[in-house]
């Protein structure tokens, strides 16, 4: 669509939901919308067009998406909004069914049409009927360069692959985003360099299964080789690895991280459970013994390693004894960060049809027990840090000089933070601090002037 004066008057409100992978998609769509000549509005409730980039992974994400859609449709019914467009994972997963579930949607946009969003907006504005822009099968990798970023200016997410080659019995990702498709290495390095040139000092490497990077490429590549290339980018200070499947953390990755001056000693390794029978029912190839060896090995090689994991409680057939085994493992492993989810029987997954579905109240109680144990671990670790020095990346500073930042063991937007009482450096700068206290999960630090 050619640019014109009438087009520049059309405002587009954008609602970005979901995980960091979805954030990258949102940033690409925002760039395409701006390039298309539309005016991006911070007020989605009163824009001409509202685009909602949804997550559809599990039930809570779906509810959040449906709430956002309902809000946009209400504004449309009141005449404040002309068109409502739903994109992303929920659109890909539900397809035409979304039109019936939420009356008032004007178009649904699948993952494969991400980069055509500007044309879709124009077409939707001109159309009198609803538009379905969803292909039944999705399985490709996009070039994510040229993004209008919605994270802070100094950190970014770097997606290195799309989809997942695993077959976890509880997961909808392969059915939504397809099998593993790794990005060509030259795309990734070019994107990383582009981000660093724009002021990024921290790159958070993401994928559905980060450690699997390159297995599908010809010739075959691997994550460690990619990391070595990323390290060479000037002015890049921190590289962080997120979403490492436990059996994918091999010796070459560990050696690369241990030897690096830029890859922080932070390992996000979702294990989901520790009981071997549950892991087998989940279709997870790792075992309790292998996971224990991995954790012990990481801490032996890098004693300062920060470990994050996610768990699922209430998986079908989970007995009290199996749950207690998981609880005891959490107490042994002493993770620095932990997210715990109750099992959701997602339609289309093998686990949804398994016998022995656990009652909701039991699942919730088990989640609370895990999180209480984890809280005690984190609070104790925080107390042990009092008096130690940490280098922090400043994320924000208010008018009173109070700052928020993170040391290497805290990932952006999901982990705790360091509260800096008097910060002399702007966001994006690094400071040396000393831990002087704790506030719930956060650390209270003071800047140490050299």
């Amino acid at each position: 669509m050619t640019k014109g004066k009438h087009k520049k008057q059309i405002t587009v409100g954008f609602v970005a939901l979901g995980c960091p992978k979805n954030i990258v998609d949102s940033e690409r769509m925002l760039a395409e919308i701006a390039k298309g000549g539309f005016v991006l509005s911070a007020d989605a409730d009163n824009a001409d067009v509202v685009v909602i980039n949804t997550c559809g992974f599990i039930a809570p994400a779906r509810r959040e998406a449906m709430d956002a859609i309902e809000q946009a449709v209400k504004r449309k019914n009141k005449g404040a909004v002309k068109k409502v467009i739903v994109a992303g994972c929920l659109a890909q997963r539900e397809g035409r069914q979304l039109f019936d579930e939420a009356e008032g949607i004007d178009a649904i946009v699948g993952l494969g049409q991400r980069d055509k969003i500007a044309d879709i907006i124009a077409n939707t504005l001109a159309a009198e009927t609803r538009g379905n822009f969803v292909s039944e099968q999705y399985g490709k990798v996009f070039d994510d360069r040229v993004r209008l970023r919605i994270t802070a200016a100094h950190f970014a997410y770097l997606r290195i692959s799309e989809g997942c080659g695993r077959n976890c019995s509880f997961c909808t990702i392969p059915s939504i985003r397809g099998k593993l498709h790794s990005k060509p290495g030259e795309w990734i390095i070019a994107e990383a360099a582009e981000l660093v040139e724009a002021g990024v000092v921290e790159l958070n490497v993401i994928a559905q299964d980060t450690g699997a990077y390159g297995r599908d490429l010809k010739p075959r590549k691997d994550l460690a080789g990619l990391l070595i290339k990323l390290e060479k980018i000037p002015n890049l200070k921190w590289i962080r690895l997120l979403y490492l499947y436990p059996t994918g953390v091999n010796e070459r990755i560990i050696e690369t991280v241990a030897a690096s001056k830029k890859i922080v000693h932070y390992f996000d390794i979702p294990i989901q459970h520790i009981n071997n029978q549950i892991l087998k029912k989940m279709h997870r190839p790792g075992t309790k013994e292998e996971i224990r060896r991995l954790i012990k090995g990481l801490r032996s090689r890098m004693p300062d390693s920060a470990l994050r994991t996610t768990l699922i409680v209430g998986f079908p057939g989970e007995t009290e004894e199996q749950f207690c085994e998981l609880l005891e493992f959490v107490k042994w492993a002493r993770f620095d960060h932990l997210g715990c989810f109750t099992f959701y029987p997602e339609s289309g997954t093998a686990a949804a049809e398994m016998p022995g579905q656990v009652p909701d109240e039991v699942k919730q109680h088990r989640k609370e027990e895990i999180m209480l144990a984890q809280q005690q671990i984190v609070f104790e670790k925080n107390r042990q840090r009092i008096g130690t020095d940490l280098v922090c990346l400043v994320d924000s500073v208010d008018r009173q000089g109070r700052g928020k930042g993170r040391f290497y063991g805290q990932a952006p937007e999901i982990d705790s933070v360091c509260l800096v009482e008097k910060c002399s450096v702007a966001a994006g700068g690094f400071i040396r601090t000393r831990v002087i206290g704790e506030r719930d999960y956060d650390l209270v630090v003071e800047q140490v002037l050299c």
Side-chain angles (χ1 to χ4, degrees):
M1 183 175 176
T2 58
K3 293 184 179 181
K5 293 182 179 179
H6 67 285
K7 188 173 172 183
K8 293 183 178 180
Q9 297 171 354
I10 297 170
T11 59
V12 177
F14 197 96
V15 180
L17 303 176
C19 68
K21 280 89 72 178
N22 234 33
I23 287 176
V24 173
D25 285 335
S26 291
E27 292 175 340
R28 273 294 301 131
M29 284 193 281
L30 284 165
E32 290 300 316
I33 293 169
K35 283 168 59 180
F38 297 102
V39 177
L40 290 167
S41 172
D43 184 8
D45 283 342
N46 295 289
D48 294 316
V49 180
V50 176
V51 178
I52 305 167
N53 190 31
T54 61
C55 177
F57 177 44
I58 55 176
R62 187 182 186 282
R63 286 197 295 269
E64 181 183 31
M66 294 304 290
D67 287 345
I69 293 168
E70 181 182 348
Q71 171 69 16
V73 169
K74 282 182 178 178
R75 296 299 296 164
K76 176 187 168 184
N77 292 339
K78 292 180 179 179
V81 169
K82 292 184 176 69
K83 299 286 185 177
V84 175
I85 298 175
V86 179
C89 287
L90 186 62
Q92 184 68 37
R93 183 177 181 183
E94 301 287 339
R96 279 190 175 277
Q97 186 178 332
L98 262 183
F99 287 134
D100 299 325
E101 294 181 7
E103 292 187 12
I105 296 175
D106 296 286
I108 52 175
V109 183
L111 298 170
Q113 304 301 310
R114 182 195 75 174
D115 291 353
K116 299 178 182 178
I117 187 65
D119 287 339
I120 290 172
I121 291 171
N123 292 337
T124 302
L125 282 166
E128 296 182 2
T129 58
R130 299 177 303 190
N132 177 19
F133 302 92
V134 180
S135 301
E136 287 188 9
Q137 296 295 324
Y138 172 75
K140 63 181 296 185
V141 62
F142 280 109
D143 186 343
D144 292 323
R145 282 175 285 187
V146 187
R147 289 150 55 181
L148 186 56
R149 295 196 9 254
I150 55 178
T151 61
H154 57 278
F155 74 82
Y157 296 109
L158 182 68
R159 179 165 53 189
I160 62 173
S161 66
E162 180 61 285
C164 184
R166 309 288 181 177
N167 190 33
C168 298
S169 63
F170 55 84
C171 185
T172 60
I173 291 298
S175 65
I176 297 173
R177 289 190 173 264
K179 295 297 184 179
L180 173 68
H181 287 79
S182 299
K183 279 186 190 177
E186 59 270 23
W187 288 14
I188 298 171
I189 299 304
E191 181 184 346
E194 177 184 276
L195 290 167
V196 172
E197 187 176 353
V200 167
V201 295
E202 175 188 6
L203 285 175
N204 296 276
V205 179
I206 59 171
Q208 303 298 336
D209 179 5
T210 306
Y213 173 76
R215 293 177 187 172
D216 59 318
L217 295 177
K218 294 181 182 181
R220 185 182 173 116
K221 304 294 183 181
D222 69 356
L223 177 62
L226 177 65
L227 292 172
I228 291 169
K229 293 179 180 178
L230 286 172
E231 283 185 291
K232 297 177 181 178
I233 298 176
N235 300 320
L236 175 60
K237 305 298 183 183
W238 280 359
I239 302 170
R240 185 185 307 278
L241 299 176
L242 301 179
Y243 311 116
L244 287 164
Y245 201 93
T247 55
V249 186
N250 56 39
E251 184 62 25
R252 182 162 148 81
I253 292 174
I254 295 171
E255 288 179 355
T256 302
V257 176
S260 175
K261 294 182 179 180
K262 291 188 177 183
I263 309 170
V264 297
H265 293 177
Y266 180 103
F267 296 88
D268 174 23
I269 306 174
I271 65 169
Q272 310 306 352
H273 213 282
I274 202 60
N275 174 266
N276 284 333
Q277 290 176 302
I278 296 293
L279 288 171
K280 186 175 181 180
K281 291 171 69 175
M282 287 179 165
H283 298 172
R284 308 277 290 185
T287 65
K288 174 181 181 177
E289 295 72 26
E290 290 170 336
I291 293 170
R292 284 177 65 97
R293 281 198 298 271
L294 173 60
I295 292 173
K296 290 173 70 174
L298 288 172
R299 286 186 168 146
S300 174
R301 184 74 64 87
M302 291 167 276
D304 63 344
S305 292
L307 303 184
R308 159 173 273 280
T309 197
T310 54
L311 306 174
I312 296 174
V313 293
F315 193 82
E318 183 188 59
T319 65
E320 187 65 25
E321 291 74 20
Q322 290 168 332
F323 167 72
C324 288
E325 183 180 352
L326 178 62
L327 182 61
E328 288 305 310
F329 175 78
V330 168
K331 294 176 181 178
W332 171 83
R334 294 178 62 80
F335 292 102
D336 297 272
H337 309 283
L338 184 151
C340 185
F341 299 88
T342 59
F343 169 76
Y344 295 98
E346 294 296 325
S347 175
T349 63
E353 306 301 325
M354 288 181 180
Q357 298 288 327
V358 178
D360 287 344
E361 60 270 19
V362 175
K363 290 189 284 191
Q364 187 61 36
H365 177 71
R366 290 176 180 177
K367 175 184 176 181
E368 290 170 358
E369 281 199 72
I370 291 287
M371 294 313 297
L372 180 60
Q374 177 64 17
Q375 182 186 67
Q376 294 171 344
I377 291 166
V378 173
F379 286 3
E380 181 181 340
K381 286 194 169 196
N382 282 354
R383 288 193 294 271
Q384 291 172 348
R385 287 193 181 277
I386 293 176
T388 63
D389 288 358
L390 298 171
V391 174
C392 289
L393 172 58
V394 178
D395 283 333
S396 65
V397 183
D398 67 18
R399 292 179 179 178
Q400 286 72 44
R402 294 187 296 261
K404 289 183 180 179
R406 295 172 289 109
F407 77 104
Y408 72 89
Q410 296 168 319
E413 301 181 321
I414 56 172
D415 291 337
S416 57
V417 299
C418 292
L419 305 173
V420 192
E421 300 205 323
K422 292 181 181 180
C423 185
S424 64
V425 176
F430 287 87
I431 58 172
R432 181 169 297 279
T433 70
R434 183 160 297 139
V435 182
I436 59 174
E438 54 178 325
R439 190 172 302 166
D440 296 326
Y441 286 88
D442 299 328
L443 294 171
V444 180
V445 302
E446 63 180 2
Q447 188 173 349
V448 177
L449 300 177
C450 299

